[in-house]
DNA sequence: ATTATCTATAGATCTATAGATAATGC
DNA sequence: ATTATCTATAGATCTATAGATAATGC
C-alpha cells in the first residue's frame, strides 16, 4: 500500500497520507477518496459536491438565501439527493463552514508548529490568513461571504485565535481588552483586508497584511517595537492545500 | 413659530428644532409628526411602523429572512400596505438601516461638536456608541443584528468613522493601516463589545468600553500614553433621543 | 439484494396585485 | 373626490417526500 495507486484515483492529485511512516492528520474534507466501499466513496463525492456548492454560494454572497434547488444545481446532483445528506440548508451551511475553516485551521496549526511565543503564533496565523486572497482565493471568498458569522463557528479560525489571545494574556504577552471583544476586532480587520483585496486588488499588497498584523498586536498591548519585529519575521512555508 | 406647538404634536415628545435661532438638522426618522396634511401624517406613521418592525426583526437576528407578512404583522398594518411604501424587503431594510444609523450619527455629531482633535472625535464617537447597550438597547440590538453589513450602509456610523480615520491620518495623528481595513477592525471591535454585553451583561462594564477605545487608538498608531489619556476623558452629555 | 441517486409532485409558503373599505380633503 | 389601508387571491416559488431508476455488493 502507500505507493500503489488505487484504480479510480487519478495521478497528480494524490494527498500525502504519511511521511516517514508517521500518519498525518487527515482532514475530514480532504478531496481524496475516503476508505470504505465504492458506494461509500460515491456517497462522499455527492456530499462534497454539496459542501463545495454551499461554499461557492456563500462566497457569492447568496449564502442562506439560495434555494435547495439552486444548491443541488450548483453541485450538479439531483434535487432529492440533498436529503440523503442533510436535513436542511442550515445544517449544510453549518457543516460546510466548519469543514472549510477547520481544514484551514489545521493547516495553520502545522505551519505554526515550531513557534512557542503566543504573540508570534497569533501574528503568524493572522499573516498567513491575511494572504488568503492571493494563496487561496476560493477560501478567501468564502470567508468574506461569511462575515462575522465566522465567530460563531465552533471550529476553524475563531477558536484558535481566541485560544492564542487568552494564552497570550496568561503569559503576560498581551494586555488586551476583553478577549472576545478583541477577537471580534481581529476578525473585523481580517475581513476588511480580504474584502479590500477582493474589490480592489491593486491597492493592497502583502505589506498591508503585515501592517495590519502589526497594528493588531499594538491593539493587544504589544509594544511598538515588538509589534514591528514580530510582524516582519519570515513566514513559515505552507504545505500543499 | 418655534415655540408654538402644533396641534397633533404631543407634549413631552417634542424634538429640538432650533437652538438660538440656528436650525438643527432634522433626521428624516424623527418620531415627531411631520409637516403636511393629516393624510401625510397617517402615511408617515405607517411607514415608520414598517421601519420600526424591520429594525426589530434585524435585532432579533431574523433580518432579511422574515417574510413580508411577518413584517406587516409586526408593524400591525395590513399586508398590502407594504407596497404603498416599499417595492421590496431589501428596499425596506436598506431604508431602515440608513435612517436608524444616520439619526445616531447626527446625535454623535452634535455630541462631538466641541472637539477638534480627530483622534478625540473618533474615540469619543466610539466610546459613546460602545455604551449603546446601556443607553439605547434597541439600537444596540439592531447594530449587532446587522453585523458588518453596517459598513455597507452609506450613511450613519461607517462614513463618519472613515472620515475621522482619514482626517486623523492627514493630521499626522494616526499612523494606521489601510483606512478601510482599520475601519473594519473598529467595527468588529464595536460589534464584539455590543454582543458580549448583550449575551452576558455582567462581564462588561463601561470601563471595558474605554479599554476598547484605548486599544483601538493604539492600533491606529496613537502612543500608549496618549491613547490612555484620550480614552479616559470625560464624555460630553448626550441630548435626548 | 441493497443502497444511493434521480424525477415528479403534493402541499406549504410567499410575493405581488386587484378590488373593497375606510379615512381625509375640499 | 381623493388617497391610504385593508382583505382576498392568483401565480410563483420552495420544501419535503414518494416512487422509479441506476449503481454497487456479495
Amino acid at each position: 500500500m502507500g505507493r500503489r495507486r488505487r484504480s479510480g484515483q487519478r495521478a497528480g492529485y494524490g494527498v500525502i497520507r504519511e511521511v516517514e511512516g508517521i500518519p498525518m492528520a487527515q482532514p475530514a474534507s480532504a478531496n481524496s477518496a475516503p476508505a470504505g466501499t465504492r458506494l461509500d466513496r460515491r456517497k462522499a463525492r455527492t456530499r462534497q459536491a454539496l459542501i463545495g456548492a454551499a461554499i461557492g454560494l456563500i462566497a457569492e454572497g447568496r449564502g442562506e438565501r439560495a434555494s435547495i434547488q439552486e444548491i443541488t444545481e450548483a453541485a450538479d446532483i439531483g434535487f432529492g439527493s440533498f436529503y440523503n445528506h442533510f436535513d436542511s440548508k442550515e445544517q449544510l451551511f453549518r457543516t460546510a463552514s466548519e469543514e472549510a475553516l477547520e481544514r484551514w485551521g489545521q493547516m495553520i496549526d502545522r505551519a505554526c508548529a515550531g513557534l512557542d511565543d503566543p504573540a508570534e503564533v497569533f501574528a503568524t496565523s493572522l499573516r498567513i490568513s491575511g494572504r488568503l486572497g492571493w494563496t487561496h482565493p476560493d477560501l478567501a471568498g468564502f470567508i468574506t461571504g461569511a462575515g462575522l458569522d465566522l465567530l460563531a463557528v465552533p471550529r476553524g479560525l475563531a477558536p484558535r485565535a481566541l485560544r492564542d489571545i487568552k494564552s497570550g494574556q496568561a503569559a503576560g504577552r498581551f494586555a488586551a481588552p476583553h478577549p472576545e471583544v478583541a477577537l471580534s476586532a481581529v476578525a473585523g480587520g481580517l475581513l476588511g483586508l480580504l474584502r479590500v483585496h477582493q474589490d480592489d486588488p491593486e491597492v493592497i499588497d502583502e505589506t498591508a497584511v503585515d501592517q495590519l498584523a502589526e497594528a493588531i498586536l499594538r491593539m493587544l498591548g504589544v509594544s511598538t517595537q515588538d509589534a514591528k519585529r514580530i510582524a516582519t519575521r519570515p513566514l513559515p512555508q505552507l504545505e500543499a492545500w
Side-chain angles (χ1 to χ4, degrees), chain A residues 29-166:
Chain A
S29 67
N31 45 14
S32 62
T37 74
R38 184 177 297 156
L39 214 59
D40 290 333
R41 289 193 294 281
R42 180 172 67 143
K43 192 169 181 182
R45 260 199 318 277
T46 303
R47 185 189 141 97
Q48 281 309 115
L50 284 167
I51 287 179
I55 289 176
L57 286 165
I58 291 174
E60 286 172 36
R62 336 205 335 76
E64 314 254 351
R65 281 192 328 228
S67 68
I68 292 177
Q69 180 155 14
E70 282 178 291
I71 295 169
T72 54
E73 268 165 24
D76 197 28
I77 64 164
F79 177 81
S81 294
F82 178 91
Y83 292 95
N84 289 333
H85 298 273
F86 300 99
D87 290 335
S88 66
K89 272 191 294 189
E90 287 66 35
Q91 198 194 330
L92 165 62
F93 283 119
R94 201 165 346 108
T95 305
S97 300
E98 289 186 16
E99 289 200 4
L101 292 170
E102 178 62 17
R103 191 175 163 210
W104 182 246
Q106 294 189 5
M107 170 81 93
I108 287 180
D109 282 349
R110 291 190 295 271
C112 294
L115 308 173
D116 53 352
D117 177 6
E120 201 160 332
V121 173
F122 174 85
T124 303
S125 306
L126 180 56
R127 291 169 66 205
I128 293 178
S129 296
R131 284 166 166 80
L132 276 169
W134 292 273
T135 60
H136 304 80
D138 290 353
L139 185 56
F142 161 74
I143 290 176
T144 59
L148 281 187
D149 290 353
L150 195 68
L151 297 176
V153 178
R155 305 176 67 194
L157 289 181
R160 286 175 171 81
L162 188 60
R163 172 203 64 193
D164 294 340
I165 290 172
K166 284 180 173 170

Side-chain angles (χ1 to χ4, degrees), chain A residues 162 165-166 169 176-184 220:
Chain A
L162 188 60
I165 290 172
K166 284 180 173 170
Q169 273 182 326
H178 189 288
E180 315 228 7
V181 176
L183 173 65
S184 187
L220 293 175

